[in-house]
Structures are given as structure tokens and as C-alpha cells.
Amino acid sequence: MTSSQMLKGVLEGCVLALIGRGETYGYELVGTLSECGLAGIAEGTLYPLLLRLEKKGFIASTYRESEMGPRRKYYRITDEGTAEINAFAEEFSRLSSVVGNVLGRCPGSAGEKTRGNALEPTPGTVAGIGEKTGEAHV
């Protein structure tokens, strides 16, 4: 499984969480995602995701004139979106814990039976999401 496949499952929650921090627009979100370590998220990935979030009622948008260039569509969180962020955070925490157990912290795991406790990642085995240009495009 590539990091872009894993990212598909969490990008919506990450974008929602960023919008939950304060009103923002698409291009700014791309920059913030990059600053957070999710470099390479294409606008062609982000804008359909924003539309889905808006259709679900998790975010709302308004157009505003820009000092430079065309008007911008600003996104803000809704009450439903705030509830979804909380649900995402809880589910991600549970999933992260389970995956950690499966990868070797769980006593009696298959790795311990066959290779001792050799499930610790080796350098280069687990790359950060979006570290390689172009691989984070979803």
C-alpha cells in the first residue's frame, strides 16, 4: 500500500481539522497542508474534497473579493463539522493504536513468533506521507 492510498483515508479529516482552526481558502489550505508535512496535495484533489465536505454540511463557504486577483471562496466549519472532527480524532486514535499493536507492540504477534521482535521499522521502510514529491497526490 502506498502512502497516497493511506492518505485517502485521512485527508478529509485533516482538511476538516484545518478549517476548524479558522476560516481559510483553498490555496491557503494547500500551503498549510504542506507546512504540516503533507506536501504535494494537488488542488485537483483538494477542491473536490472541499465540495464533498460542503455537501455533507461539515463546512460552509462564502465568496469574498481579494486584494490581489479574483475573488476567493472562503471555507468555515459548521457545528456538524466540529462534531465530525471530534469523531475523526477519536477513530484515528483508535486505529493508530490498533495498527501499532499489529506492527509489533502486541504480545504474541506473528512477527514475534517468526522473527523475534523484528517488526521495528528499519530506516527507509516507513516514509512520511507526502515526503516524496508527487506521491501524495490522491
Side-chain angles (χ1 to χ4, degrees):
M1 176 177 291
T2 66
S3 57
S4 66
Q5 289 171 314
M6 287 189 276
L7 182 58
K8 284 181 183 179
V10 297
L11 185 58
E12 186 174 295
C14 291
V15 168
L16 199 57
L18 290 176
I19 294 171
R21 292 179 184 174
E23 197 171 58
T24 187
Y25 55 95
Y27 185 76
E28 187 175 52
L29 273 170
V30 169
T32 303
L33 286 166
S34 182
E35 290 171 9
C36 290
L38 295 173
I41 303 298
E43 290 179 38
T45 297
L46 182 63
Y47 286 106
L49 186 150
L50 290 168
L51 183 59
R52 285 193 306 273
L53 291 173
E54 196 166 14
K55 284 183 176 182
K56 291 177 181 180
F58 297 153
I59 60 174
S61 64
T62 55
Y63 282 99
R64 292 203 197 125
E65 295 300 321
S66 172
E67 294 177 12
M68 301 182 307
R71 63 188 185 144
R72 293 181 176 149
K73 190 174 186 179
Y74 282 81
Y75 300 93
R76 67 186 174 286
I77 199 76
T78 63
D79 290 341
E80 293 85 0
T82 299
E84 183 66 16
I85 293 168
N86 293 333
F88 169 77
E90 288 177 20
E91 185 62 26
F92 184 81
S93 178
R94 278 192 295 273
L95 180 61
S96 178
S97 177
V98 168
V99 171
N101 286 337
V102 170
L103 291 176
R105 292 194 301 255
C106 183
S109 69
E112 287 182 5
K113 292 176 185 174
T114 59
R115 297 181 281 165
N117 203 3
L119 287 178
E120 292 297 318
T122 57
T125 302
V126 181
I129 295 175
E131 284 182 354
K132 297 178 184 175
T133 304
E135 286 192 3
H137 296 277
V138 184

